[in-house]
Amino acid sequence: MVEMRRLNKTSSDVPKFPDLGDNNTSRDQQIRFGLNPLKLMGGFVVCLMGLSVLFSISVILKDFNSNSIWAVADARLLDVALPRDLEQEDDSLGAFVNQKKNLDSSSIEHDDRLINGLISDQFDDGSCLSRYQVASYRKESPYKPSSYLISRLRRYEALHKRCGPNTESYNRYVADLRAGKKPEEASDCNYLVWVSFSGLGNRILTLGSAFLYALLTDRVLLVDRGVDLDDLFCEPFPEASWLLPLDFPIIDQFKSLNQKSPECFGNILKTSNSSSSSSSSSPYVYLHLVHDYDDHDKLFFCDQDHSFLQNVPWVIMKSDNYFIPSLFLMPSFEQELHKLFPEKETVFHFIGRYLFFPTNPIWGLITRYYNSYLAQADERIGIQVRVFDTRVGPFQYVLDQILACSLDNNVLPNINPDESFITSPENRKSKAVLLTSLSSGYFEKIRDMYWEHPTVSGEVIEVFQPSSEGYQQTEKKMHHRKAWAEMYLLSLTDKLITSSWSTFGYVAQSLGGLNPWILYKPENETTPNPACTRAMSIEPCFHAPPFFDCKKRAGTDTGAIVPHIRHCEDMSWGLKLVNPSVERA
C-alpha cells in the first residue's frame, strides 16, 4: 500500500465506529437486540467513504507518470514507496531522485550520448562512466562521423567478439603460434598485436594508428597492456576485451624484437623478394615502425611490398609514430579511407573519441578538477607547454613566447600596469586558463601577472595548473594517470595553445576538435617572431614519414603528392592530414 501522507489522510484519520461489529456473530446479536437504523446507515456511509478513498489512491498511482513523480519529488520529498521494479535493491527515494538528476545532466549540452552513433550502446554505463557522461562536459563537435564509418565500426565489433581473446578461433590460432607453425587453412580471424612502447602521447597516437590499420585489413586488434594501459583506458569494444592475455606465447619476446629479428618485416624483405616472403615459415611478422626504422621497414607503406602480410595470421607492431597520413598514400586503401573519412582532418578526432575513454578513477580526477575550477568560467583556455631544454626551468624566453602568442592572437587580454583596478561589473566576463607543464614556473608567472594587474577589458582571468611533476616519470602509474587527465582536460577547453613536436598537445587538440595555435620551437634560447601559428587542421603530425615513391622506386616529397596531405606547421618534414578546401581564420 502506498502512503500519500501529505496528499491524503491515512486510515488512522478515518472515524472509528465501535458499534460496527467485525463478525457474523456480533452482527446477529445486534439485529436480535434491535440495532438503531441510523447507526446502520452511518456504517454504510463509512464503508462507501473507505472504498472511495481506496479507489482514488489506485487511480492516482496508475495515472501518475514518471515525470509527474519527479516533479513532485523534486519539489517536496514525499514519503512515497517505489515499485519494486524501479527501486531495485534500494528503496530510498533520495537515491532514485539523484539517479534521475544524473541521467538528466548527461544531456546538458546535447542529447546524443553515443556521439552521433560513433560508439555502441551495448555497454554497462557504470563500468565506464566517462563513455556516456563526457557529452555533458564538452561542446558538440562540428564534425559528424560518416554512416560508413559507423557501419564499419559495428562490423569490426562483431569480428572482435567472434575472434577475440578466449574464443574458439583465438585459442586455436594461439595453439598454432605456441607450436611455431602457421594455420593449415586460411582464416577469417587474423590478428594485429600492438606492443606498448614509448611515452603516453605516443602510445595513444600509435594505438589509434594501429586500430585504423586493423580496420582496413580486417584484423583483430589486441593490445599489450604494458605498465598501465588497462589502468588508463576503458575497454572500447562491447562484450570482448582488447587486452592481450598475459599468457600469450611470445609476450616475453616483445622487448627484444627489433630490426635485426628474423621475423622483422624489413629484414624479411632484405633477404628475399616480396613474392617469396609469403612462404616464410614464421607464424608471425614483426613490424618495426619506430622513428629509427630504415628504408626496408618503410616499404610497409608500399602496396607491392605490403601485400604478403595478407597471408600472415599474426602481425606484431611496435611504433612511436602517428603513421596514418602514409596509409592515405597507399592506393589499396585510398577508396576505403575516403568513404570512412570524407573530411580528412577528422581521422583521429573520431578514432580517439571511439577508442579512448578514461577509466573511472581518472574520470574522477577530470570531473573533480573541471567542476572545481573550470565549469563556471565564460571561456576556458588551454595552454600546453613542452620545453625541450634539458636545464631546470622556467625560462624567460619561453614565458615571453607564451604571452606573445596569447596576447597577439587575443586568446588572453592585455593588462593595464598603470591602473590599480578597472571595474565594469555589468560586462565582466571570466576566463579560466588551464596550463599544463612539468614546471610550475610558467603558471606562477602568468597567475601573478593577472593577480597584480587588471585587464584592459575588465575580464577576470583565473589561472590553474593541475600538476607539476618536474620531469617525465614513464614508469610511474600516477604520473600517467595525471598526464591522461590533463590531456583530457585540455580537450574540454574552448581555445588551445600547444607546443611544437608535442604528442601530448596533438592528443588534446584532436580529441577536442580544436584548431590550436602552435608555439614554434625556440632556437638559441630566443623567442620566435611570430611566436606561434594557427594549425592547418586538428590532426596530429606524422614525425618520421617515408619519402619514397613506391611506383618509381625512388625518393620523392610525400607532402606534395595529394592535396589533403601537407607538411606540418611545427615540423617541416612531417606529414599531416588537412581539408584542402578549408581556409583557417
Side-chain angles (χ1 to χ4, degrees):
M1 175 68 69
V2 176
E3 296 178 351
M4 303 294 284
R5 294 177 182 173
R6 300 190 186 183
L7 294 181
N8 299 288
K9 294 183 178 180
T10 63
S11 58
S12 62
D13 297 323
V14 178
K16 294 182 180 179
F17 294 83
D19 54 342
L20 292 181
D22 57 1
N23 54 52
N24 292 333
T25 303
S26 62
R27 189 161 50 248
D28 291 340
Q29 290 173 347
Q30 290 167 352
I31 294 173
R32 186 179 305 115
F33 294 111
L35 189 64
N36 189 329
L38 291 176
K39 291 183 179 181
L40 284 175
M41 182 61 70
F44 180 72
V45 170
V46 169
C47 290
L48 287 179
M49 289 174 62
L51 289 174
S52 177
V53 170
L54 290 174
F55 179 77
S56 298
I57 291 175
S58 68
V59 169
I60 290 173
L61 290 178
K62 181 178 180 180
D63 292 342
F64 235 51
N65 59 31
S66 59
N67 290 335
S68 300
I69 291 175
W70 290 123
V72 175
D74 285 344
R76 302 165 61 190
L77 290 179
L78 304 180
D79 185 10
V80 181
L82 300 173
R84 291 302 304 172
D85 61 334
L86 290 179
E87 69 179 336
Q88 301 290 327
E89 297 177 359
D90 182 4
D91 60 358
S92 166
L93 180 62
F96 196 36
V97 171
N98 288 335
Q99 181 185 12
K100 172 63 167 58
K101 289 180 178 178
N102 289 336
L103 290 175
D104 287 344
S105 67
S106 69
S107 57
I108 292 173
E109 296 291 346
H110 38 117
D111 295 331
D112 193 355
R113 298 194 312 154
L114 305 182
I115 315 178
N116 295 297
L118 189 69
I119 59 175
S120 171
D121 63 353
Q122 300 301 308
F123 291 96
D124 169 26
D125 287 24
S127 65
C128 183
L129 297 173
S130 63
R131 193 188 317 275
Y132 300 123
Q133 289 183 6
V134 70
S136 63
Y137 285 87
R138 69 163 95 249
K139 293 180 179 178
E140 188 172 8
S141 172
Y143 309 102
K144 306 298 179 188
S146 68
S147 58
Y148 186 71
L149 173 60
I150 293 171
S151 68
R152 287 291 281 111
L153 292 175
R154 299 294 88 80
R155 194 176 94 186
Y156 173 83
E157 291 163 2
L159 173 67
H160 197 101
K161 182 179 178 181
R162 186 173 74 252
C163 300
N166 302 317
T167 61
E168 180 182 350
S169 296
Y170 172 85
N171 292 336
R172 183 167 67 252
Y173 298 130
V174 162
D176 289 337
L177 180 63
R178 183 174 284 109
K181 64 179 183 179
K182 287 185 174 181
E184 296 180 359
E185 299 179 356
S187 168
D188 62 347
C189 293
N190 291 316
Y191 299 88
L192 174 66
V193 177
W194 173 87
V195 177
S196 183
F197 174 70
S198 194
L200 181 57
N202 288 353
R203 284 191 286 162
I204 292 174
L205 294 180
T206 61
L207 185 47
S209 303
F211 174 71
L212 180 57
Y213 177 69
L215 195 70
L216 292 170
T217 56
D218 290 320
R219 289 183 177 272
V220 174
L221 176 66
L222 300 177
V223 301
D224 166 35
R225 66 195 73 195
V227 178
D228 59 358
L229 186 133
D230 54 334
D231 180 65
L232 300 176
F233 309 119
C234 296
E235 291 276 5
F237 312 129
E239 301 182 75
S241 177
W242 71 339
L243 295 174
L244 186 71
L246 295 175
D247 62 353
F248 188 68
I250 60 171
I251 196 169
D252 293 334
Q253 302 175 34
F254 286 169
K255 288 185 178 180
S256 62
L257 289 173
N258 57 47
Q259 290 167 287
K260 296 181 180 180
S261 301
E263 301 85 3
C264 181
F265 176 88
N267 208 16
I268 292 173
L269 293 184
K270 286 179 186 177
T271 58
S272 62
N273 60 52
S274 60
S275 61
S276 63
S277 299
S278 60
S279 61
S280 172
S281 59
S282 176
Y284 73 92
V285 169
Y286 165 61
L287 291 177
H288 187 83
L289 301 181
V290 184
H291 64 274
D292 64 353
Y293 62 163
D294 63 22
D295 291 341
H296 283 88
D297 297 315
K298 293 174 183 178
L299 293 176
F300 167 77
F301 297 107
C302 292
D303 279 334
Q304 60 268 45
D305 301 290
H306 172 275
S307 59
F308 86 87
L309 289 175
Q310 295 174 5
N311 301 318
V312 178
W314 295 96
V315 172
I316 316 295
M317 175 187 290
K318 187 184 293 185
S319 178
D320 59 358
N321 273 306
Y322 179 71
F323 57 79
I324 285 177
S326 285
L327 296 180
F328 275 79
L329 295 175
M330 299 177 68
S332 59
F333 298 147
E334 184 178 10
Q335 184 176 358
E336 182 78 355
L337 285 169
H338 177 73
K339 291 163 65 178
L340 289 169
F341 305 101
E343 293 183 277
K344 302 300 184 291
E345 71 168 313
T346 63
V347 177
F348 192 77
H349 180 64
F350 290 131
I351 289 178
R353 288 192 172 197
Y354 173 76
L355 286 180
F356 303 114
F357 289 98
T359 55
N360 288 353
I362 299 174
W363 185 238
L365 292 176
I366 293 167
T367 54
R368 286 191 295 272
Y369 200 90
Y370 185 94
N371 291 329
S372 296
Y373 303 110
L374 307 178
Q376 302 305 316
D378 295 310
E379 187 174 49
R380 286 158 285 276
I381 309 297
I383 301 178
Q384 180 262 330
V385 181
R386 170 70 189 277
V387 179
F388 290 92
D389 197 318
T390 56
R391 297 171 301 161
V392 177
F395 304 102
Q396 187 63 42
Y397 68 90
V398 175
L399 176 63
D400 292 341
Q401 183 182 11
I402 297 168
L403 292 175
C405 179
S406 303
L407 300 176
D408 292 348
N409 294 285
N410 297 316
V411 178
L412 291 176
N414 274 294
I415 61 170
N416 191 332
D418 299 324
E419 296 288 341
S420 59
F421 66 91
I422 295 177
T423 172
S424 52
E426 68 280 359
N427 297 318
R428 182 175 296 163
K429 293 184 178 180
S430 63
K431 289 186 178 181
V433 179
L434 176 73
L435 191 145
T436 65
S437 173
L438 292 173
S439 168
S440 63
Y442 306 106
F443 152 72
E444 292 168 355
K445 295 285 187 182
I446 297 173
R447 177 201 61 190
D448 290 349
M449 183 182 81
Y450 284 108
W451 180 27
E452 295 167 2
H453 305 285
T455 61
V456 295
S457 61
E459 292 173 298
V460 175
I461 307 300
E462 297 177 287
V463 187
F464 306 102
Q465 180 173 351
S467 71
S468 52
E469 298 286 285
Y471 61 95
Q472 266 191 294
Q473 303 168 49
T474 54
E475 299 302 316
K476 191 175 178 182
K477 178 177 287 190
M478 183 52 72
H479 178 82
H480 284 155
R481 281 190 174 190
K482 290 179 180 178
W484 178 217
E486 290 183 11
M487 286 185 209
Y488 218 86
L489 282 166
L490 286 171
S491 79
L492 301 178
T493 59
D494 303 306
K495 293 179 180 178
L496 183 62
I497 295 174
T498 62
S499 298
S500 290
W501 300 18
S502 175
T503 55
F504 194 108
Y506 295 159
V507 172
Q509 72 190 44
S510 294
L511 283 180
L514 300 167
N515 181 231
W517 286 268
I518 304 176
L519 298 168
Y520 285 116
K521 190 172 183 291
E523 300 291 343
N524 302 319
E525 301 180 22
T526 303
T527 300
N529 185 18
C532 61
T533 185
R534 195 75 187 270
M536 291 180 289
S537 78
I538 65 175
E539 272 286 293
C541 178
F542 181 7
H543 284 176
F547 294 96
F548 188 71
D549 187 317
C550 295
K551 292 182 180 179
K552 296 180 180 179
R553 313 299 285 184
T556 189
D557 182 1
T558 47
I561 296 176
V562 294
H564 52 274
I565 296 179
R566 297 182 186 175
H567 290 296
C568 307
E569 307 86 351
D570 56 332
M571 185 173 283
S572 59
W573 59 89
L575 298 181
K576 73 181 300 183
L577 290 160
V578 301
N579 286 342
S581 60
V582 177
E583 293 294 332
R584 293 297 183 190

